[in-house]
Amino acid sequence: MQLIADSIDFKQYLLESEGTEKVVRASEFIDRVIDRLYGEQANNSPQTPWHKIGENFQMRPGEVTLWAGINGHGKTLVTSQIALHLMVQAQKVCIASFEMKGEATMARMVRQASGSAMPTVDYIRRFHNWTDEQLWIYDQQGVCDATTLRGVMKYSHEKLGVQHFFIDSMMKVVKGDDDYNGQKDFVNEVTAIAQETGMHIHLIAHVKKKEDELALPNKFDVKGSSSITDLVDNVCIVWRNRIKEKKLADSKLKPEEMDEGRKLPDAV
């Protein structure tokens, strides 16, 4: 693991020219179309850790995936597992977590990698050495200025070769749940950076509070502007199965009922 210092002037990475030639013949896309449908991009884009999903969902270059869910339902846990699996696939990753310190992020990830709540000190050292040249942490907690974050993203791609950038979470960048224009502008900027650089950007967001946590949310429950889900390429909802937890906590259940309860998924 290496830390990206906050002392770097990230804004300088936003000053490059856009380029002047944007209108091109449609036929110029032929090789990219073939690659998208039949080539490396179609067959070798990074996949999730879950074998059931397989190639049905790939984290393709230049796209933005929104990971949304209720507070405490495991958005950060799931995206940490995603980041770990990306590194296993030789992808370079940067995590900008404004809600967790760098050591907390890495402690969670080394537990996931080892499959143990208390991995040995030797394993911890070997794991961190393995992450060198593959994982970077933007060491900034609390709120973050959107312009600075855009600079961090461009710096990470241009100077470090980062292919996947995680933002945890959007509420730490755009102030105010009702700042719909600010949310729309920020997501627009994020998608533009993804398309420009070819990075896949993972954006974490919250969903609106409901009467309880038992109902599975959908994309219309994402907190804030509807533009958030409209502008990104993929929307993934993370839901912790509280129904299963309540069912298995019932001491009056018969053994066969407990077995049925255990067959339910821990999360969706």
Side-chain angles (χ1 to χ4, degrees), residues 163-221:
Q163 297 153 292
H164 289 262
F165 196 99
F166 290 78
I167 302 171
D168 188 5
S169 66
M170 191 177 72
M171 68 179 294
K172 293 294 185 178
V173 184
V174 182
K175 298 176 183 178
D177 292 340
D178 57 353
D179 184 5
Y180 297 148
N181 287 331
Q183 293 162 4
K184 179 180 179 181
D185 291 344
F186 176 68
V187 178
N188 254 326
E189 291 163 356
V190 167
T191 56
I193 289 176
Q195 292 164 3
E196 176 189 340
T197 62
M199 279 196 304
H200 191 110
I201 298 176
H202 303 258
L203 180 60
I204 297 175
H206 296 279
V207 301
K208 302 165 190 170
K209 289 184 178 178
K210 295 189 168 188
E211 293 181 4
D212 58 50
E213 302 178 32
L214 303 183
L216 183 65
N218 58 50
K219 75 171 191 174
F220 300 106
D221 295 314

Side-chain angles (χ1 to χ4, degrees), residues 111-129:
R111 283 174 164 176
Q112 290 174 307
S114 65
S116 168
M118 292 298 293
T120 65
V121 171
D122 177 63
Y123 185 93
I124 294 170
R125 293 189 187 281
R126 287 189 289 112
F127 175 77
H128 281 72
N129 289 336

Side-chain angles (χ1 to χ4, degrees), residues 17-72:
S17 63
E18 284 283 326
T20 55
E21 297 298 328
K22 292 291 184 181
V23 181
V24 298
R25 290 185 179 87
S27 60
E28 292 195 18
F29 293 99
I30 183 170
D31 290 334
R32 279 182 273 179
V33 170
I34 293 171
D35 179 51
R36 186 179 181 92
L37 296 180
Y38 294 102
E40 183 175 347
Q41 183 174 327
N43 300 313
N44 294 319
S45 291
Q47 300 177 16
T48 71
W50 304 293
H51 298 297
K52 270 187 180 180
I53 295 176
E55 295 183 1
N56 291 319
F57 178 67
Q58 298 180 336
M59 292 169 280
R60 293 184 286 205
E63 292 190 355
V64 179
T65 297
L66 182 77
W67 300 89
I70 301 167
N71 233 2

Side-chain angles (χ1 to χ4, degrees), residues 67-92:
W67 300 89
I70 301 167
N71 233 2
H73 274 235
K75 300 181 297 297
T76 302
L77 185 70
V78 166
T79 51
S80 175
Q81 187 72 40
I82 290 281
L84 179 61
H85 193 65
L86 286 167
M87 288 187 284
V88 171
Q89 298 172 85
Q91 298 286 297
K92 293 188 176 184

Side-chain angles (χ1 to χ4, degrees), residues 110-266:
V110 75
R111 283 174 164 176
Q112 290 174 307
S114 65
S116 168
M118 292 298 293
T120 65
V121 171
D122 177 63
Y123 185 93
I124 294 170
R125 293 189 187 281
R126 287 189 289 112
F127 175 77
H128 281 72
N129 289 336
W130 174 73
T131 66
D132 270 350
E133 305 307 322
Q134 282 192 284
L135 176 63
W136 286 264
I137 304 290
Y138 178 48
D139 196 23
Q140 164 71 25
Q141 280 77 55
V143 296
C144 180
D145 173 73
T147 302
T148 300
L149 181 58
R150 281 159 45 214
V152 174
M153 286 189 278
K154 295 193 75 171
Y155 168 85
S156 298
H157 172 71
E158 294 171 14
K159 299 298 182 181
L160 307 175
V162 165
Q163 297 153 292
H164 289 262
F165 196 99
F166 290 78
I167 302 171
D168 188 5
S169 66
M170 191 177 72
M171 68 179 294
K172 293 294 185 178
V173 184
V174 182
K175 298 176 183 178
D177 292 340
D178 57 353
D179 184 5
Y180 297 148
N181 287 331
Q183 293 162 4
K184 179 180 179 181
D185 291 344
F186 176 68
V187 178
N188 254 326
E189 291 163 356
V190 167
T191 56
I193 289 176
Q195 292 164 3
E196 176 189 340
T197 62
M199 279 196 304
H200 191 110
I201 298 176
H202 303 258
L203 180 60
I204 297 175
H206 296 279
V207 301
K208 302 165 190 170
K209 289 184 178 178
K210 295 189 168 188
E211 293 181 4
D212 58 50
E213 302 178 32
L214 303 183
L216 183 65
N218 58 50
K219 75 171 191 174
F220 300 106
D221 295 314
V222 174
K223 187 181 290 186
S225 169
S226 61
S227 299
I228 297 171
T229 55
D230 291 341
L231 293 169
V232 299
D233 299 279
N234 316 295
V235 178
C236 297
I237 305 292
V238 179
W239 178 73
R240 181 173 173 175
N241 195 344
R242 300 288 192 188
I243 298 173
K244 175 179 180 176
E245 293 175 6
K246 287 188 175 185
K247 190 177 182 72
L248 295 183
D250 186 353
S251 59
K252 297 178 182 178
L253 284 181
K254 298 176 182 177
E256 59 269 22
E257 292 175 317
M258 290 289 286
D259 290 340
E260 283 300 312
R262 291 191 185 97
K263 291 178 183 177
L264 295 171
D266 293 331

